[in-house]
Amino acid sequence: MEYLKNFIDGAYHAPVSGQYMDNVNPATGEVYSQIPRSGADDLTMAVNAAERAFPLWSRMSVNERSAILLRLAAGIEVRMDEFVMAESRDNGKPEKLAAHVDIPRAVSNFHFFATAIEHFSSESHYMENVGINFTTRRPIGIVGCISPWNLPLYLFSWKIAPALAAGNCVIAKPSEITPYTASLLGNIANEAGMPAGVLNILHGTGPEIGNEMVSHPKIKAISFTGGTATGQHIARIAAPMFKKLSLELGGKNPTIVFPDVDIKQTVKEIFRSSFSNQGQICLCGSRIFVHQDIYEAFKIAFVDWVSSAKVSYPADPNAQIGAVVSKGHMEKILGYIELAKEEGGRVLTGGVRVHLDAPYHDGFYLAPTVIEGLSNSCRTNQEEIFGPVVTIMPFAEESEVLAMANDTKYGLAASVWTKDLNVAHRMADRLEMGIVWVNSWLIRDLRTPFGGMKDSGVGREGGWEALRFFTEPKNIFIKHE
Ligand code: NAD
């Protein structure tokens, strides 16, 4: 059995308490490694190391910092296969997905911020006959990055790359459900020439080490991605300490299909937006609204496509749906399917656990599920399920679908499918979401602001937004003689 370690001050350390917890392979249901259950003592070591490293790292030339981060990106790239298999084993996702999305994107995140920092600039404001203001943007100090299990290395690197590029020392915690790829980063950081103490990676549970990080007075900013309830908890602790907070939280995203679309093509795209990564992407559309004129035709084609999707073990090159991340999460999703039935929903396809042949018979597989007959206001359509479950509902008017799409506490993302540019513009303008895709889904440009409105979060990641978050602006005014 492999025992993962914390990465502190440039070296791997067992947790001070000596306590570990199980790490399960969702594809088989078996425990395959042990994770440190870190606590306050581990955090003290990490904070001390980060404090020592900060003067060197924050004053290092941008070129040097950039070069180290580029080598880190390259270090992941040369171990692509190892990372792909580790991510898939930890999370249950098809290897194909990890190979095409997760790990290449982690490489891009480091690459992007390593180069973005070289172009990052600050403003000056000249006052005629008075003087000049100029603004500096300096790193904050020690920052905390906490990430979820659905896109483990992808979202972990999305935070630590800009934090490091901006000159901060980082204490980062991957999800305890998927810690493995983050644990590989320590060696790569050392090989890249990153000074000891700049990047520290602690493992363990949210209520234990996560909470310690959020509460620690020397950690000046928290960048968090995860559930809305956890985000609320973190805000309650961090706000009175005046920490900078970036919160990327849950969603209940609408997918809106107008009657002028090519049904066959759109069905394929909406299969992807609904069920990629087993529906465990914060951006997946889980409420599909289809115009009444094409509702029946779309529904038949969609259900046909979804019911023929291959649910299989992650190493199967033909797997379209892998395992969901844990037994607990699988049971939560099945519970929501039961709730949907109680609320009057009809399961058109899926709705059940799938048992594969040995050695995968105890893995956490669910058939992709489509449910109709529900109102937008029911719990199934208001609460985040975060699994391979979507509902489908007809609409008659643009104003009606807009009202339903916005009628949720969340405001993360939407996709709109139409050939009519006027409809697309009107909808995009009026949807209360941080991200709107038209005739597409999850096409990402790393320069764009990423995040949600309402209960989907506070602040934005990506591009300059991330570099601004991880720096402290200071305005300096110099008076003319
Ligand atoms: P989660 O909130 O349970 O956990 C996320 C991280 O926070 C984990 O590392 C966890 O250990 C840690 N954590 C938990 N309790 C904590 C506490 N009290 N203090 C500090 N840290 C704590 O979320 P999850 O189940 O891992 O992920 C799924 C959720 O993440 C979904 O709601 C999904 O929508 C959301 N998500 C959002 C985005 C986005 O960009 N908006 C992206 C991916 C996932």
Side-chain angles (χ1 to χ4, degrees), residues 83-388:
F83 270 95
V84 164
M85 282 163 71
E87 198 71 297
S88 167
R89 183 180 52 179
D90 223 16
N91 175 278
K93 66 181 69 208
E95 282 180 12
K96 200 171 57 181
L97 187 70
H100 284 101
V101 177
D102 294 74
I103 308 304
R105 173 57 193 274
V107 172
S108 302
N109 287 341
F110 282 111
H111 199 277
F112 176 82
F113 285 108
T115 50
I117 195 66
E118 296 201 290
H119 304 268
F120 189 45
S121 58
S122 54
E123 318 83 52
S124 72
H125 298 88
Y126 183 67
M127 298 171 77
E128 204 70 50
N129 300 326
V130 182
I132 186 163
N133 295 275
F134 62 93
T135 309
T136 57
R137 285 194 165 264
R138 302 288 305 143
I140 297 170
I142 307 175
V143 301
C145 298
I146 301 177
S147 57
W149 49 256
N150 63 325
L151 300 166
L153 194 67
Y154 174 134
L155 291 175
F156 191 71
S157 54
W158 183 232
K159 296 184 179 305
I160 67 175
L164 292 168
N168 300 284
C169 289
V170 172
I171 299 181
K173 190 193 99 55
S175 168
E176 63 273 34
I177 301 171
T178 54
Y180 201 95
T181 47
S183 80
L184 298 174
L185 278 190
N187 278 334
I188 295 180
N190 283 344
E191 284 163 23
M194 185 166 284
V198 170
L199 172 63
N200 304 278
I201 300 169
L202 301 180
H203 298 282
T205 71
E208 293 171 332
I209 186 61
N211 215 57
E212 294 287 347
M213 285 170 63
V214 174
S215 314
H216 199 291
K218 288 191 175 167
I219 299 183
K220 298 294 183 197
I222 297 287
S223 172
F224 168 81
T225 298
T228 293
T230 316
Q232 276 169 340
H233 176 84
I234 288 174
R236 269 196 293 273
I237 298 173
M241 300 175 83
F242 306 113
K243 294 191 183 203
K244 264 186 133 174
L245 270 183
S246 165
L247 302 174
E248 298 298 336
L249 310 175
K252 192 72 187 175
N253 308 313
T255 302
I256 304 167
V257 186
F258 283 92
D260 57 348
V261 298
D262 173 337
I263 292 181
K264 207 170 151 200
Q265 184 57 30
T266 310
V267 157
K268 286 188 207 164
E269 299 277 354
I270 293 180
F271 172 76
R272 206 172 66 82
S273 72
S274 305
F275 298 113
S276 288
N277 204 38
Q278 296 68 248
Q280 303 166 134
I281 300 182
C282 55
L283 306 162
C284 278
S286 51
R287 296 178 294 148
I288 305 176
F289 299 99
V290 183
H291 192 273
Q292 62 185 17
D293 289 356
I294 59 161
Y295 182 80
E296 283 304 319
F298 181 93
K299 182 178 89 178
I300 291 164
F302 188 61
V303 168
D304 189 44
W305 191 265
V306 173
S307 57
S308 65
K310 187 168 189 202
V311 179
S312 190
Y313 56 96
D316 180 346
N318 297 317
Q320 288 170 280
I321 309 272
V324 299
V325 79
S326 68
K327 186 159 187 277
H329 192 54
M330 177 180 71
E331 284 164 357
K332 176 189 147 186
I333 297 166
L334 287 168
Y336 269 109
I337 294 169
E338 286 312 305
L339 173 71
K341 290 184 205 161
E342 283 163 25
E343 290 184 317
R346 289 182 299 283
V347 174
L348 301 177
T349 181
V352 291
R353 182 174 180 178
V354 176
H355 290 277
L356 302 182
D357 294 339
Y360 303 105
H361 51 293
D362 287 330
F364 315 133
Y365 300 93
L366 291 174
T369 300
V370 183
I371 300 170
E372 80 165 347
L374 291 169
S375 74
N376 185 56
S377 58
C378 70
R379 277 183 58 203
T380 310
N381 273 326
Q382 291 293 320
E383 296 176 18
E384 187 184 39
I385 301 174
F386 212 54

Side-chain angles (χ1 to χ4, degrees), residues 404-456:
M404 287 194 288
N406 285 338
D407 183 18
T408 144
K409 67 175 184 171
Y410 295 109
L412 188 54
S415 70
V416 178
W417 303 83
T418 179
K419 289 186 186 131
D420 186 330
L421 206 52
N422 291 319
V423 172
H425 274 294
R426 271 198 305 271
M427 291 297 290
D429 187 48
R430 292 171 192 175
L431 282 163
E432 294 163 3
M433 315 282 161
I435 303 158
V436 178
W437 279 288
V438 176
N439 297 327
S440 60
W441 177 77
L442 199 46
I443 294 187
R444 292 280 297 122
D445 179 328
L446 304 191
R447 295 170 299 182
T448 59
F450 178 88
M453 299 179 183
K454 300 185 342 194
D455 287 13
S456 290

